[in-house]
Amino acid sequence: MYHIFQISGEAFRSLGLKMKILITVIFSGLLIWSLVLVSFSKNFNDQLIDATIYDSKRSETPRDKLIGGLLTEDFDERSCVSRYHQSLLYRNPSPYKPSEYLVSKLRSYEKLHKRCGPGTDAYKEATKSLGHDNNENYANKTVGECRYVVWVAGFGLGNRILTLASAFLYALLTGRVVLVDQTKDISDLFCEPFPDTSWLLPHDFPLTTQQIDGYNRGYSRCYGTMVINHAINATSIPPHLFLDIIHDSRDEDKMFFCPKDQTLIDKVPWLIVKANVYFVPSLWFNPTFRDELTKLFPQKEAVFHHLARYLFHPTNKVWGMVTRYYNAHLARADERLGLQIRVFSHQNVYFQHVMDQVVSCAQREKLLPELSTQEDAKVNTSTSQRLKAVLVTSLFPEYSDNLKNMFWERPSSTGEIIEVYQPSGERFQQTDKKLHDQKALAEMYLLSYTDKIVTSARSTFGYVAHSLGALKPWLLYQPNDQTAPDPPCTRSTSMDPCHLTPPSHGCDDDWGTNSGKVLPFVKHCEDRDNDGLKLFDEL
């Protein structure tokens, strides 16, 4: 028995040695594989940086990757390549410079967010008010430094971008911290905008996703409903409020913009915002905000332009889509024209009258040349012909196909070569499908890198694209009765988006339908038939 045990022990020791060798080999293999993955990630990001080319045809003015101080240097460049490389694709540096006051305000906000953001003691303390005692009254309490605006994702991607920018500006004006609902695909679209912290609402937030998604104007803590029920006043302040800033909000909900109401709302620690309109123009009618807004944005039509370039940095996945498509199809062109075609109709089909309207607008405004009338025009073999790239974004590929055929079958009257491109044509809007939203975001950025742009009336997709690019668009009028409008479009004198359904009631008679008389830089939108409000720089 002793000899058997001895042999078994030797075998065991031999097996142990082999196991050590095997573990060493496996560990070494894993280490090598992890190094390969790190190297691959680094190479991928390096390729993204290299792909963001400096176009030799463009201005030789040195690029400012911090955009006049709008951005901070406190980020790893490779973790989010677009952050410091977006401006490299602009034809010229933006003519709109952020004010020193805005830059200072953003740096202060970043410090506030770092103190109050998710995971901090201050955040944990603040969420206690949303716990078991949800009926706590904050009328006579000191709210403290950390108060919050929670933005709830809803509606299409254009709406989300515009409303998130609006919510952030409101937070900036009121000393609040903005937190972003991450139940949709926000983290698949954009990098974190604030250094050393996160803007994503934690999954363990006391008000659950199901609760927040279910909030509507029938909710007892909806501000408009509380106004109707006389349930909020200086002596009765709830721990949180739901703000319904939707296109068909009630007048009571829109009282949110009034100074007296803001005095009450300011005492509420948590605001839950669900919106689908760009409500920035209406903030200017509050005298409390107006002076601050004027210092932040001396160039008033540049509000969204600056906010978007600060907040929104496409993830490396999306940025790869942008740079690959740009370099493959747009980089070598002498001029780039963007055509954004969105049709608001229950019939989800291609419309010939819309095609006619787009062509009529582009040719009347000399954005596209007429076709040659000479059937026997000689073939131009010159290698120095001017090349114009036309980028079409639409759910329907027929618009770009027809335009492409026009300039294939007959030469242009100017001799220009017209090349037409459309990245996708998926026929149906598929909001909340990750890849669909990533493609949509990439197309917004591609449109923003064109030299001139035509966009559809009331389209938030178009608003984002032209405002990002500091482009004053030609706006296509909305067709009626399936006929092309005449004239087909108009040139906007402002690049800022439109607040499509602003308040029409008065706050101490300081605003309303005659808003243009009160504030000359807030006027009706060109694409809304004397409706909607938009920021213009005073002439």
Side-chain angles (χ1 to χ4, degrees):
M1 292 294 292
Y2 173 81
H3 293 295
I4 293 174
F5 177 79
Q6 190 177 32
I7 293 171
S8 299
E10 290 173 355
F12 181 77
R13 284 192 294 273
S14 176
L15 178 61
L17 179 60
K18 291 178 180 178
M19 286 297 292
K20 288 180 180 179
I21 294 172
L22 180 60
I23 291 170
T24 302
V25 169
I26 292 173
F27 178 77
S28 300
L30 289 173
L31 180 61
I32 292 170
W33 180 241
S34 66
L35 291 173
V36 168
L37 289 177
V38 170
S39 176
F40 173 80
S41 176
K42 182 178 182 299
N43 289 339
F44 173 72
N45 290 338
D46 286 344
Q47 289 172 10
L48 275 181
I49 293 173
D50 292 341
T52 309
I53 63 169
Y54 183 82
D55 191 339
S56 61
K57 295 180 180 180
R58 292 178 179 265
S59 168
E60 295 182 359
T61 305
R63 296 302 195 240
D64 172 17
K65 74 174 187 177
L66 298 182
I67 319 178
L70 198 65
L71 305 181
T72 175
E73 291 184 289
D74 298 340
F75 286 96
D76 172 28
E77 185 170 329
R78 286 180 171 80
S79 66
C80 184
V81 176
S82 69
R83 190 187 314 275
Y84 300 125
H85 286 256
Q86 287 186 44
S87 60
L88 297 181
L89 283 178
Y90 279 67
R91 179 175 179 81
N92 289 304
S94 171
Y96 299 91
K97 308 301 179 186
S99 67
E100 292 183 4
Y101 188 72
L102 174 60
V103 170
S104 173
K105 194 81 171 181
L106 292 174
R107 297 295 87 81
S108 297
Y109 175 84
E110 290 163 1
K111 294 176 182 177
L112 175 65
H113 199 110
K114 190 173 179 179
R115 288 195 300 271
C116 300
T120 63
D121 291 340
Y123 170 82
K124 293 173 185 176
E125 183 65 27
T127 55
K128 290 180 180 178
S129 68
L130 300 174
H132 302 294
D133 186 11
N134 206 28
N135 295 315
E136 195 168 0
N137 185 4
Y138 276 74
N140 298 315
K141 289 194 174 186
T142 301
V143 173
E145 180 187 30
C146 299
R147 296 171 305 141
Y148 300 85
V149 175
V150 176
W151 172 85
V152 181
F155 305 91
L157 182 58
N159 300 85
R160 293 182 184 185
I161 293 173
L162 293 175
T163 58
L164 182 48
S166 302
F168 173 72
L169 178 57
Y170 176 73
L172 200 67
L173 292 169
T174 56
R176 292 179 180 268
V177 171
V178 68
L179 296 177
V180 174
D181 168 26
Q182 61 172 314
T183 58
K184 308 301 182 184
D185 55 10
I186 191 75
S187 59
D188 296 310
L189 298 173
F190 298 110
C191 306
E192 292 274 8
F194 314 127
D196 303 318
T197 184
S198 176
W199 68 344
L200 298 177
L201 185 70
H203 290 296
D204 61 356
F205 185 61
L207 302 178
T208 66
T209 301
Q210 290 77 10
Q211 284 178 284
I212 293 176
D213 282 347
Y215 288 170
N216 53 47
R217 60 195 61 171
Y219 176 48
S220 62
R221 290 276 166 78
C222 176
Y223 184 66
T225 300
M226 296 191 82
V227 170
I228 292 171
N229 295 335
H230 304 288
I232 184 170
N233 53 54
T235 60
S236 180
I237 302 294
H240 76 273
L241 276 177
F242 169 62
L243 302 176
D244 183 77
I245 310 179
I246 309 296
H247 62 280
D248 61 349
S249 294
R250 303 163 297 184
D251 282 347
E252 290 82 4
D253 294 299
K254 294 178 181 179
M255 296 300 288
F256 160 78
F257 296 101
C258 297
K260 290 181 180 178
D261 296 74
Q262 276 297 315
T263 300
L264 287 178
I265 292 170
D266 193 59
K267 298 177 181 180
V268 180
W270 291 90
L271 303 179
I272 316 297
V273 178
K274 188 178 291 185
N276 69 345
V277 290
Y278 176 70
F279 57 83
V280 166
S282 295
L283 294 174
W284 290 75
F285 285 98
N286 187 325
T288 308
F289 298 151
R290 193 181 307 156
D291 291 342
E292 183 77 353
L293 285 166
T294 301
K295 290 193 293 183
L296 289 168
F297 304 102
Q299 296 171 297
K300 298 175 181 63
E301 67 173 297
V303 174
F304 180 77
H305 179 63
H306 290 319
L307 293 177
R309 291 191 301 162
Y310 173 73
L311 285 175
F312 303 121
H313 310 290
T315 60
N316 287 353
K317 170 75 177 292
V318 176
W319 191 242
M321 294 179 181
V322 174
T323 56
R324 286 190 296 274
Y325 200 90
Y326 181 90
N327 292 337
H329 303 296
L330 306 179
R332 62 189 180 89
D334 297 288
E335 186 179 353
R336 303 154 188 84
L337 172 65
L339 298 178
Q340 184 263 333
I341 304 171
R342 173 67 191 272
V343 180
F344 296 94
S345 171
H346 296 298
Q347 297 174 274
N348 207 37
V349 296
Y350 163 83
F351 289 107
Q352 184 58 45
H353 68 275
V354 174
M355 182 73 209
D356 296 339
Q357 179 186 8
V358 171
V359 172
S360 175
C361 172
Q363 291 183 332
R364 283 195 193 192
E365 301 296 331
K366 309 300 181 185
L367 303 173
L368 282 177
E370 302 282 346
L371 298 176
S372 175
T373 57
Q374 298 178 4
E375 295 295 337
D376 59 345
K378 293 181 180 180
V379 176
N380 189 336
T381 59
S382 171
T383 59
S384 61
Q385 284 177 281
R386 181 174 171 80
L387 173 61
K388 177 175 287 189
V390 181
L391 178 71
V392 179
T393 64
S394 173
L395 289 173
F396 301 96
E398 290 89 346
Y399 294 106
S400 61
D401 289 343
N402 289 344
L403 198 60
K404 192 180 300 181
N405 288 335
M406 282 175 53
F407 289 101
W408 179 43
E409 294 167 359
R410 291 170 63 184
S412 67
S413 59
T414 61
E416 291 176 289
I417 298 297
I418 309 297
E419 293 185 354
V420 182
Y421 302 101
Q422 182 170 342
S424 68
E426 302 190 10
R427 298 194 177 277
F428 297 95
Q429 185 169 329
Q430 302 170 52
T431 300
D432 291 335
K433 287 192 175 181
K434 182 171 75 172
L435 184 57
H436 176 86
D437 284 347
Q438 288 176 328
K439 288 179 179 179
L441 181 61
E443 291 183 11
M444 288 181 188
Y445 275 84
L446 285 167
L447 281 171
S448 77
Y449 295 133
T450 56
D451 302 296
K452 297 175 182 178
I453 191 170
V454 178
T455 64
S456 297
R458 299 173 51 226
S459 171
T460 55
F461 189 108
Y463 290 163
V464 171
H466 70 67
S467 299
L468 269 172
L471 300 168
K472 295 183 179 180
W474 281 263
L475 293 165
L476 295 166
Y477 289 115
Q478 189 168 354
N480 292 314
D481 301 323
Q482 296 197 355
T483 57
D486 187 16
C489 61
T490 184
R491 180 74 186 276
S492 177
T493 57
S494 169
M495 66 176 182
D496 210 50
C498 176
H499 182 175
L500 292 168
T501 54
S504 58
H505 59 76
C507 291
D508 297 328
D509 297 323
D510 194 32
W511 65 348
T513 56
N514 295 322
S515 57
K517 295 180 180 179
V518 178
L519 297 176
F521 50 84
V522 182
K523 302 177 184 179
H524 291 303
C525 309
E526 303 97 333
D527 55 340
R528 284 291 290 163
D529 296 328
N530 292 323
D531 193 8
L533 292 177
K534 185 173 177 178
L535 290 166
F536 295 78
D537 280 313
E538 298 174 77
L539 301 179

